[in-house]
Amino acid sequence: DAMVIQNPRYQVTQFGKPVTLSCSQTLNHNVMYWYQQKSSQAPKLLFHYYDKDFNNEADTPDNFQSRRPNTSFCFLDIRSPGLGDAAMYLCATSRATGMNTEAFFGQGTRLTVV
Amino acid sequence: AQRVTQPEKLLSVFKGAPVELKCNYSYSGSPELFWYVQYSRQRLQLLLRHISRESIKGFTADLNKGETSFHLKKPFAQEEDSAMYYCALTPRGGSNYKLTFGKGTLLTVNP
């Protein structure tokens, strides 16, 4: 009964080869987040959506792009992965209003760049 | 700008001892504060939120607006509490839904 699903769990890509990570949710939440988490570090926000409104963090490299075609799905595109992009990528969703604004996280996609 | 500070990267206590994980925040508006926990090989999940004023797994946290703190406390730590704990902040109201995490505190409860 997973509510935020990330695919794949593990992704290996070649240096410079575009890669797409996907996230889907069954919660009908209007906010979706993408975080990068490197070993023993806190999740770092890359960008988030409120419905279709996209909010990019100032320090997110241009190499990272995102698409949200509908409420349920969100994609993270890495145009030219470098070795430094190897990390766990976390997708999360939340409801924007009301009392229950907690974020629900997926299991993450561990990206390896070779 | 919103910021969350967790001054302790590591915290080690013995079973049955009290534990306090510190969290301070910076935000000019009205924040909503959370504690998230990540057990080994599990997804990040909510432990508690300040709005609920509830106790989860024996943990409590009180929002102190004067000190801009949201410390997590438990009177008697258990081995199963060993995990990574993150304090997080999101603005309340308005159109900013950014969820910002502190750097986290790794809690180890020794037998």
Side-chain angles (χ1 to χ4, degrees):
Chain A
D1 60 342
M3 295 174 285
V4 182
I5 302 167
Q6 292 186 244
N7 284 305
R9 290 287 307 277
Y10 302 91
Q11 175 74 57
V12 180
T13 191
Q14 290 180 331
F15 182 94
K17 184 175 180 181
V19 65
T20 295
L21 310 183
S22 71
C23 176
S24 64
Q25 56 138 334
T26 59
L27 297 161
N28 204 35
H29 284 168
N30 41 16
V31 185
M32 291 188 80
Y33 305 89
W34 278 106
Y35 289 88
Q36 179 192 65
Q37 186 176 29
K38 295 191 175 181
S39 181
S40 303
Q41 294 184 24
K44 178 182 179 298
L45 183 64
L46 295 173
F47 21 64
H48 73 279
Y49 283 90
Y50 172 66
D51 290 331
K52 283 194 172 290
D53 291 338
F54 177 70
N55 296 273
N56 197 31
E57 290 301 295
D59 58 353
T60 297
D62 292 340
N63 196 27
F64 291 86
Q65 303 284 317
S66 184
R67 295 169 284 136
R68 189 180 185 186
N70 53 52
T71 300
S72 301
F73 288 88
C74 196
F75 301 96
L76 170 61
D77 301 307
I78 308 177
R79 294 194 294 189
S80 181
L83 298 179
D85 297 327
M88 179 72 88
Y89 289 87
L90 303 175
C91 174
T93 74
S94 73
R95 195 199 311 258
T97 58
M99 289 295 292
N100 297 321
T101 56
E102 70 182 271
F104 290 81
F105 283 82
Q107 288 275 39
T109 294
R110 182 167 295 283
L111 179 69
T112 301
V113 182
V114 297
Chain B
Q2 57 196 75
R3 181 175 295 174
V4 178
T5 303
Q6 293 180 249
E8 303 138 331
K9 194 171 181 179
L10 302 169
L11 185 61
S12 183
V13 300
F14 285 103
K15 177 182 173 181
V19 64
E20 182 179 42
L21 287 79
K22 290 185 167 46
C23 172
N24 287 90
Y25 67 90
S26 172
Y27 181 62
S28 56
S30 180
E32 187 167 356
L33 276 296
F34 305 88
W35 276 99
Y36 284 84
V37 61
Q38 192 167 29
Y39 300 104
S40 179
R41 300 177 192 226
Q42 293 188 27
R43 70 180 71 197
L44 202 56
Q45 58 187 287
L46 180 72
L47 179 63
L48 52 79
R49 60 171 78 85
H50 90 269
I51 286 179
S52 304
R53 303 182 66 82
E54 57 196 343
S55 173
I56 302 293
K57 298 184 180 183
F59 285 97
T60 58
D62 291 318
L63 179 62
N64 185 323
K65 292 185 179 178
E67 296 181 359
T68 59
S69 68
F70 187 56
H71 304 326
L72 183 68
K73 300 177 184 179
K74 184 168 182 176
F76 308 103
Q78 303 298 314
E79 289 179 67
E80 56 266 28
D81 296 328
S82 295
M84 192 69 162
Y85 291 81
Y86 294 100
C87 184
L89 176 155
T90 193
R92 293 188 69 188
S95 59
N96 179 358
Y97 304 102
K98 180 175 172 177
L99 177 63
T100 300
F101 286 85
K103 290 187 182 295
T105 298
L106 180 62
L107 174 65
T108 302
V109 181
N110 301 297

